[in-house]
Amino acid sequence: MNIPGKTIAALLLTLVATAAQASVHDHIYANSFDIAADAPASKAEASRFLTQATFGPNQTDITRLMAVGYNEWIEEQLGMRATLGEPTVEAVVNARIAGSQNTGQTQRLNRWFWQATYAPDQLRQRMAYALSQIFVVSDQSSMISGDVVPMTAYSDLLASDAFGIYRTLLSDVTYNPTMGKYLNAFRNLKPSATTSPDENYAREVMQLFSVGLIQLNMDHSPLLVGGLTVPTYDQTVITHTAKVFTGLTYSDAPIGTGANFSGANFYGGSLTFAGQYNPMQCWGTELFPYSNGNMRHDITGDDGTLHTDKTVLGGAIIPSGQDCDVDLGAEIDIIAAHSNVAPFISSQLIQRFVTSNPSPAYIQRVATVFNGSTGDLGDVLKAILIDSEARNPPAAGATSESDSYGKLREPILRLTAMWRAFNAAAPAADIYGEIGMTGNTGFLTAYGQGPLESPTVFNFYTPDYQQPGVFATNNLNSPELQILNESTLYSSINSYYNFTANSYVGISPLPSTPRPMIDLSSLTVNVATPALMVATINANMLYGTMSTSMQSALTNMIQFGLNGATANEKAWSLIYVTMLSPEYAAQR
């Protein structure tokens, strides 16, 4: 299908959840058996909510949401156990190794996209995806690029902790060896006469995972003193904090026995996949006497002796001479209790689910829930999704505020939403147990993003990125536009083409690489009536919001531009062109 460049340019304008977590959010019968008072008024409203809360609406979720209402649907999702990827990926990797086949990140990505598309715990999977863009690790790092199974386990960690307490998530991330290897906390050593502890994790855990660079008010506005912003920490705090994050290694590193632990090997371990992804072991005074050369944790204070304390974030004190785990626990407590955490994390989560430019009042309402629930991320996410600013968007073009509402839908979410809208059938598992979902697509190259594939620890885009021009002039954030350029524009167009024109039920011959096959029957049944085909696209992909001009353009494309084409070609062409349209790209 050859679409002129001008036409293209015009068209382009969600580890098992713990029992404690499950019980907190286990309110499946909260609405009794009455008709839900907060049920969406229409399927279009239901679809709009599910666009925010899932990897894309499908008929099953729409029907359920219409029946039980927003609150109950969220509670059901909060109570679901996590769909995990690690057991499947480990089995596939082992089978491929036994079959003398190569293994790589493709095995992880295939499973990730399967979960995004088909897992029932959609809200949890979406939250894990959002958290992965805050607590970033990436297979682009040579330190973990070969760690296919451990990286899958890291995704599972985010899913398992998605509705838990923020402090627990921060601790689990800190002890995770994949994060440790990515940001150099893994086998980070106490200082010697010639070296100092690596400061990478100490810096990023504050800058990116918790408090940011400047003090914030609850509405995420800068706290000003004398008209100036106030830093949350300085280099001295980073240096002192780096001492805390020393002495961590694989959990199965042999530690020996006896007073001298003569069999200890700090550089051992990783003998099994579990050893590679289980929480790291801390090698401090809990294992070794202070004088023992095997102790790798820095128990000294600010001056490098046991006579002072460690002065860390906010001027808080961690006494010297403590066990390694005690130091880490104290540091995590200090960070999690900081006043910036609630607005800093709440603002970013709102951006990932609802809008790039939430009002200060919206952020403050969510941050208040964050603090009131002691950082219960399930409660925070519910507050985000049921907030009036999420559920009642301003009319497009009505005010300057309405013009800043919404967000650019991430390229990956455009793909998964299309798969779910048209009941894409996953291919059968191959002889190694792997279900192919990617069609050999290089997502980072094609879309500028891929699951756990960020080029840097700063994610694919920053929360405060402002596209030059109208956005920057009006001081509006547009994070997702940071990855939109000539290269990703055309490569994503090609990718969407492959996932539509070459990927539908009944195509012959089958594509050489496995991928989901979309069901075109809801469109082809009306092939004699182009307007009805367009109406189906409007309902399934744009949820009734398609403009009259776009309806007219698509109808004319089918009736005149594709006159004589097969029913399937007309159907996938409608889906494909809609995927390229600004109306599908924009989420409001």
Side-chain angles (χ1 to χ4, degrees):
M1 179 177 175
N2 185 18
I3 301 177
K6 185 178 293 186
T7 303
I8 291 176
L11 289 170
L12 287 173
L13 266 180
T14 173
L15 179 66
V16 173
T18 65
Q21 291 172 359
S23 64
V24 170
H25 298 292
D26 190 11
H27 304 300
I28 293 179
Y29 298 106
N31 286 327
S32 185
F33 295 99
D34 298 329
I35 296 175
D38 65 342
S42 65
K43 287 187 175 182
E45 286 190 16
S47 296
R48 179 177 173 274
F49 170 86
L50 292 168
T51 297
Q52 296 171 344
T54 73
F55 280 95
N58 63 16
Q59 195 55 55
T60 298
D61 282 337
I62 292 171
T63 300
R64 184 61 184 168
L65 177 59
M66 296 285 289
V68 302
Y70 296 118
N71 280 276
E72 181 63 15
W73 186 90
I74 292 172
E75 289 294 340
E76 289 179 352
Q77 288 284 314
L78 293 178
M80 283 188 183
R81 293 180 178 273
T83 300
L84 302 180
E86 189 282 327
T88 297
V89 173
E90 181 174 341
V92 168
V93 167
N94 284 334
R96 290 183 63 86
I97 291 173
S100 300
Q101 300 296 307
N102 293 330
T103 62
Q105 295 293 336
T106 297
Q107 280 68 59
R108 177 182 65 83
L109 292 169
N110 275 330
R111 178 62 185 184
W112 188 93
F113 277 100
W114 185 93
Q115 289 178 206
T117 308
Y118 303 111
D121 54 326
Q122 280 285 298
L123 186 61
R124 184 183 291 276
Q125 298 296 325
R126 265 300 300 273
M127 182 62 154
Y129 179 51
L131 293 173
S132 77
Q133 297 192 50
I134 300 173
F135 299 87
V136 173
V137 302
S138 173
D139 66 10
Q140 300 303 292
S141 166
S142 61
M143 295 299 296
I144 58 175
S145 58
D147 294 352
V148 179
V149 174
M151 287 193 68
T152 307
Y154 183 80
S155 287
D156 288 350
L157 181 158
L158 298 180
S160 296
D161 286 356
F163 303 146
I165 303 301
Y166 167 83
R167 194 264 180 215
T168 301
L169 171 63
L170 186 63
S171 177
D172 288 347
V173 165
T174 298
Y175 276 90
N176 182 267
T178 295
M179 175 60 77
K181 293 167 75 172
Y182 183 61
L183 290 181
N184 305 336
F186 175 73
R187 292 176 179 164
N188 188 19
L189 301 177
K190 66 182 181 179
S192 68
T194 58
T195 64
S196 298
D198 189 283
E199 298 178 350
N200 205 13
Y201 189 73
R203 180 181 296 105
E204 308 307 355
V205 72
M206 294 187 289
Q207 179 179 350
L208 301 177
F209 302 169
S210 59
V211 300
L213 295 174
I214 61 172
Q215 296 276 7
L216 300 172
N217 295 308
M218 281 287 282
D219 64 0
H220 200 262
S221 62
L223 176 67
L224 302 178
V225 175
L228 301 175
T229 60
V230 181
T232 46
Y233 57 88
D234 58 18
Q235 179 57 43
T236 300
V237 170
I238 295 173
T239 300
H240 296 164
T241 304
K243 293 172 175 284
V244 176
F245 300 114
T246 54
L248 293 164
T249 189
Y250 282 128
S251 62
D252 60 343
I255 61 175
T257 58
N260 293 322
F261 290 86
S262 58
N265 181 3
F266 186 71
Y267 297 98
S270 74
L271 303 180
T272 64
F273 283 130
Q276 295 168 29
Y277 62 69
N278 280 338
M280 291 185 287
Q281 171 70 57
C282 215
W283 284 43
T285 52
E286 57 265 64
L287 295 180
F288 309 99
Y290 176 57
S291 59
N292 187 286
N294 270 314
M295 194 186 74
R296 306 306 171 98
H297 176 64
D298 187 354
I299 66 172
T300 66
D302 294 346
D303 65 356
T305 75
L306 295 178
H307 301 295
T308 61
D309 301 319
K310 296 181 180 73
T311 308
V312 293
L313 182 66
I317 296 298
I318 297 178
S320 62
Q322 297 188 138
D323 288 352
C324 180
D325 284 321
V326 175
D327 276 1
L328 263 72
E331 178 66 33
I332 292 165
D333 284 341
I334 291 165
I335 294 174
H338 194 280
S339 61
N340 265 30
V341 171
F344 186 77
I345 297 298
S346 297
S347 176
Q348 291 187 70
L349 290 177
I350 294 171
Q351 286 186 312
R352 299 277 57 79
F353 286 92
V354 178
T355 179
S356 296
N357 295 280
S359 71
Y362 187 7
I363 297 173
Q364 182 159 346
R365 289 191 295 270
V366 175
T368 300
V369 171
F370 191 110
N371 282 342
S373 65
T374 320
D376 186 311
L377 295 173
D379 288 347
V380 169
L381 182 52
K382 184 173 184 179
I384 290 171
L385 293 173
I386 66 173
D387 191 89
S388 59
E389 199 163 321
R391 300 279 48 83
N392 302 298
T399 64
S400 58
E401 288 77 15
S402 66
D403 288 339
S404 67
Y405 185 85
K407 63 194 294 289
L408 187 69
R409 200 188 307 215
E410 298 173 54
I412 282 177
L413 298 184
R414 296 189 218 179
L415 176 62
T416 58
M418 185 276 291
W419 279 342
R420 288 174 59 80
F422 290 98
N423 301 313
D430 64 17
I431 61 173
Y432 307 106
E434 184 171 9
I435 299 174
M437 296 287 292
T438 66
N440 280 358
T441 301
F443 288 97
L444 182 59
T445 299
Y447 296 166
Q449 65 172 172
L452 301 189
E453 293 194 304
S454 172
T456 73
V457 71
F458 297 99
N459 193 26
F460 312 105
Y461 30 73
T462 58
D464 57 356
Y465 174 76
Q466 296 181 338
Q467 179 80 353
V470 174
F471 285 96
T473 300
N474 290 278
N475 194 31
L476 294 176
N477 299 322
S478 51
E480 294 84 358
L481 281 171
Q482 193 169 2
I483 59 173
L484 184 62
N485 51 51
E486 284 189 9
S487 176
T488 58
L489 176 64
Y490 283 99
S491 58
S492 63
I493 287 173
N494 291 335
S495 173
Y496 294 146
Y497 183 87
N498 286 331
F499 284 121
T500 52
N502 298 324
S503 308
Y504 59 86
V505 175
I507 190 173
S508 181
L510 290 172
S512 58
T513 54
R515 80 282 302 270
M517 308 297 276
I518 55 177
D519 182 358
L520 302 178
S521 61
S522 63
L523 293 167
T524 56
V525 68
N526 291 314
V527 68
T529 312
L532 290 181
M533 296 181 75
V534 173
T536 299
I537 291 289
N538 187 12
N540 288 6
M541 298 182 73
L542 295 176
Y543 325 131
T545 65
M546 187 184 294
S547 65
T548 54
S549 60
M550 183 171 176
Q551 291 181 50
S552 178
L554 291 180
T555 301
N556 288 337
M557 181 184 78
I558 296 300
Q559 191 166 357
F560 302 112
L562 291 174
N563 185 31
T566 66
N568 284 335
E569 184 175 4
K570 291 179 179 180
W572 69 251
S573 296
L574 276 175
I575 297 172
Y576 172 58
V577 172
T578 301
M579 291 185 76
L580 308 186
S581 71
E583 295 186 28
Y584 184 69
Q587 175 186 316
R588 293 194 83 254

